[in-house]
């Protein structure tokens, strides 16, 4: 009998199921299903009332319905008893208030039309005022958790979003038993067991293994009414690959899965890509490269420095500190320029990429700053904006396009350098995600960083990572694995391609990087108010206030 | 009998003739003729030898042939005896070596295929090494002429181009009797009289009314062989509107003009626009606004400051110091962006300009630096390049387009402010040139500067200015005028349209201007090496040297 692990990868728009042969790593079947209601930004289903700006909600039932469909599809190809373990990854910071029986607050009639009773997606940014206050007071009090996040708490995270419910819908807050992350809620739906996964608790929940959660005093200083907010949070931490329980009778009946099939604690989707890319060691930086980029580094050492969004012990793979960084726009920048500024009829990427590839490093005479969606790595400043420097009347669109690619590579190099300077050396890059099929981009990254850039074997490294979690949760006796190392060795394949750095290109890019660094420090550090001011003027004009 | 003045406007690509009624200012007839050989940048006519980079030559016979044609055309509509005076304007720094009978050196068989025997157009930039040396040594010696040019001698001017002939073609230099500006050579062709016009001598020839030409010692320090270079230059200075002589018998025979018709000393084309726009007073800044812009201010006061390319007593209109500044790219920037970056099929200007006009000041969230062709106003640095700041994933092409217009307006404001700060206040703008039909551009300039922006009545203000010179050269007794003031009052019409500044827009632009000024000073002054370095890398890569 074959032994498969099932990965369930809950993204922003859809869920994907991937069944992987534990012995060979073969991806035997997969299915994908988009959420019926998608991302809700205009108005709640069944109402006409427009949602405020910055709202991004989801319907919790969508997750259940969609994953039922993809599991059923997978079970058309393999048998339920062949599935030895299941892992779940979920977009981070996708948070919902529920009753202690798991019922989402939006299912309670009186709260149905209140957006604060719904799932708040990671990109719901309406809790910025709460985040600002948290940051201010945490710094005043010199809270010890700050150093795990380079000193910045995002509006996307658990505490700001919880506080937002209290501020905007105190009646819902009052009635809510648990405020839970989507991944943990799904695991509860599957197993009937509540737990908090270490990944989301660490990266987005202000928890760390050394000192636990923030103090009640801190919450009280924020707002006396917020004092017991932590009592609405799950606190029994489960690590990636740790078994939470087995598939419940009801979930088995709904999906066709076998009751009792082990389910791992959930993890964040990007972080799931690390095991999915075959990484369980120090040295590489793992990059999920798509519209934006997420970078993760595993290390045995804990070092506090500027340049990560979070560091969590055992948060990605037990046995390592996992450092996470991000670039808020990568593929989005290329698409913005190629689609919005150039001829829209043909394939804008194909043509401009071909032309850009004919240019030599340094030939554009341009450098750019890749902050078209702010900076969420070393500078952590959403008010920063993009810049293109060196334009002449001879500058061609393909030169601008290439300089934009180079700018994101320089942004990555800033992150790498921050790790290396802190004593956490990075020796190679490993990539998965939507941009892996673009050789120009990957070669530029290799040349800019001077490091080999390896393309992960799996096209679905994130879902594969979830499956690996499932195989570890199953454990050796059920045909799974005793450790991540064994699971990864068995279930992942070597990189399919390596881009090696060109020495001469590196020499040129070292010079351009100095210019990038100059602009980076000038507009990102010494004069960060310049770009902010431009944004403020724009917003004031649009709001009719100037 | 009607009394007409004839203006001959020698541009880069063509000559225009305009006959103007001295009593009414009516432009009764005009004709235009492009030069047969145009701008010669690839190879000399009749040879295959490629010209070096930075070369831009012309064929002197083209001027004669073309102006013969346009004069003949004009004489189909008016009678030669009705023309009471003739003025000539010419692109500045268009320089040729000749024998003392006026024969261009390129007409001498042995020099025919040597590019240094041909006309060097203003945009011939191959004398940059000579200009660099001149600047260095002039500053070491603290030469008094430097202050008339804000401390920078351009490679386009008479001395660098003369020295280039000596360096690159000493045999031609040796045989040359006179190195002459195109305008003065044309006046010689028309009258048989040699003179040097004060405009080109002052703005491009290191001459000033107070101390004359540089010392022989200076030339000798540059290069002992250059010691007597000034003996190859005309030194009898004639002012705009001063009569050099009458149309010669031979030129009359060739063209049909009446022998003895008074001809004014020549002037630079842009400078001719000042009387053509009806300006003969302190207060306005006169802007010729096309692919690039030229700005001129008349003042009774001599002030030395950074912000002009040259100040010349009586150089534009006798009785005033004329301050000249320039922006090296204006319309060129808009064309570069609209044509090269956007959909090329439709009319890119029309569509993007319409969209950009719907935006409010400050709504783009962008500011740009307008240095896509260097900076030739206050910073005088051709190594500077353009910058766009504030880009986000929401930035639209029309927002970038508008920010580029605004950047050139900010560039103009820098020039205005430099005058005002030096005690030469500017109270209004008056414009002629290719961009006067774009209301968006003119309104932005009014709003950015807070000054009314008036559109000159004539569509051919430069040629009209030349005609005015002709009417002054004719003098009162011949039916012309005793002064510029009288000529301008009679021959120019009030502005056809005034763009008044919007107070609220000015408030917003004042804020954006601070951001522009920050970038301007950072990249133009404190860190001017940044943009230069980018250019150097680009040039080294293209040259295969990196």
């Amino acid at each position: 009998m074959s032994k498969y692990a099932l990965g369930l990868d809950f993204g922003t728009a859809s869920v994907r199921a991937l069944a992987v042969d534990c012995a060979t790593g073969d991806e035997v079947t997969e299915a994908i299903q988009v959420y019926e209601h998608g991302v809700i930004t205009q108005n709640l289903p069944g109402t006409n009332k427009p949602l405020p700006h910055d709202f991004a909600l989801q319907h919790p039932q969508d997750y259940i319905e969609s994953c039922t469909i993809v599991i059923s599809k997978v079970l058309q190809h393999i048998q339920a008893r062949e599935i030895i373990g299941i892992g779940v990854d979920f977009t981070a910071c996708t948070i919902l208030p529920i009753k202690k029986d798991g019922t989402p607050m939006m299912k309670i009639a009186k709260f149905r039309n209140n957006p604060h009773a719904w799932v708040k997606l990671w990109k719901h940014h309406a809790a910025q005022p709460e985040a600002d206050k948290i940051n201010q007071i945490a710094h005043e009090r010199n809270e010890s958790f700050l150093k795990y996040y380079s000193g910045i708490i995002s509006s996307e995270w658990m505490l700001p979003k919880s506080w937002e419910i209290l501020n905007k819908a105190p009646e819902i807050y009052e009635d809510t038993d648990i405020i839970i992350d989507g991944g943990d809620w799904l695991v509860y739906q599957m197993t009937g067991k509540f737990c908090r996964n270490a990944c989301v608790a660490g990266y987005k929940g202000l928890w760390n293994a050394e000192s636990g959660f923030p103090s009640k005093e801190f919450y009280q200083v924020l707002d006396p009414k917020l004092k017991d907010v932590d009592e609405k949070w799950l606190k029994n931490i489960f690590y990636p690959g740790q078994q939470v329980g087995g598939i419940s009778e009801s979930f088995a009946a709904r999906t066709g899965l076998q009751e009792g099939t082990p389910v791992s604690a959930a993890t964040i989707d990007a972080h799931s890509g690390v095991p999915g890319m075959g990484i369980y060691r120090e040295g590489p930086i793992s990059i999920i490269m798509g519209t934006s980029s997420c970078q993760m580094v595993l290390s045995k050492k804990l070092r506090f420095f500027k340049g990560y969004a979070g560091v969590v012990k055992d948060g990605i793979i037990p046995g390592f500190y996992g450092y996470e960084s991000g670039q808020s726009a990568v593929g989005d920048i290329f698409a913005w320029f190629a689609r919005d500024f150039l001829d829209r009829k043909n394939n804008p990427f194909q043509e401009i990429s071909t032309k850009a590839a004919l240019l030599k490093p340094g030939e554009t005479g341009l450098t750019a700053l890749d902050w078209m969606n702010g900076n969420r790595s070393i500078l952590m400043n959403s008010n920063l904006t993009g810049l293109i420097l060196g334009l002449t009347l001879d500058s061609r669109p393909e030169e601008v396009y290439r300089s934009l690619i180079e700018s994101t590579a320089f942004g990555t190099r800033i992150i790498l350098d921050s790790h290396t300077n802190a004593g956490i050396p990075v020796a190679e890059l490993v990539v998965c995600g939507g941009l892996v099929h673009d050789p120009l981009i990957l070669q530029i990254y290799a040349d800019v960083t001077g490091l080999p850039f390896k393309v992960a074997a799996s096209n679905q490294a994130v879902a594969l990572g979830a499956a690996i979690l499932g195989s570890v949760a199953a454990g050796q006796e059920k045909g799974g694995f005793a450790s991540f190392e064994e699971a990864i060795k068995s279930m992942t394949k070597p990189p399919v391609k390596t881009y090696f750095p060109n020495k001469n290109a590196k020499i040129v890019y070292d010079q351009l990087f100095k210019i990038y660094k100059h602009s980076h420090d000038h507009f990102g550090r010494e004069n960060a108010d310049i770009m902010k001011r431009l944004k403020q003027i724009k917003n004031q004009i649009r709001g009719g206030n100037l």
Side-chain angles (χ1 to χ4, degrees), chain A residues 430-489:
Chain A
V430 187
V431 68
C432 70
L435 297 181
V436 299
H437 303 296
D438 192 319
L440 174 63
I441 295 174
L442 302 190
Q443 186 62 53
I444 286 173
Y445 273 61
D447 291 342
V448 162
T449 60
L451 298 175
F453 202 174
K454 298 178 176 173
V455 179
S458 175
N459 277 324
Q460 302 300 340
V462 170
L464 171 57
I468 288 169
L469 263 61
S471 78
V472 173
Q476 216 164 1
E477 67 280 12
K478 294 261 177 72
F481 300 97
S483 72
F484 268 89
E485 183 165 351
E486 286 170 31
I488 287 168
K489 271 187 183 158

Side-chain angles (χ1 to χ4, degrees), chain A residues 268-309:
Chain A
I268 297 174
D269 53 354
H271 301 59
S272 181
V274 177
M277 284 189 260
I279 305 304
Y280 55 98
R281 59 194 161 85
E282 296 182 307
I285 187 165
S286 304
I287 310 184
I288 320 267
M289 209 171 162
T291 53
S292 62
S293 278
C294 186
Q295 287 101 345
M296 285 148 296
V297 173
L298 302 178
S299 176
K300 298 283 184 186
K301 291 178 284 189
L302 177 61
R303 296 281 182 275
F304 297 116
F305 59 97
K306 288 266 176 195
Y308 53 79

Side-chain angles (χ1 to χ4, degrees), chain A residues 86-105:
Chain A
I86 300 172
V88 170
D89 72 76
F90 212 95
T91 59
C93 310
T94 298
I95 283 164
L96 67 163
I98 60 172
K99 299 300 288 182
K100 62 178 175 238
D101 67 354
T103 306
M105 300 307 283

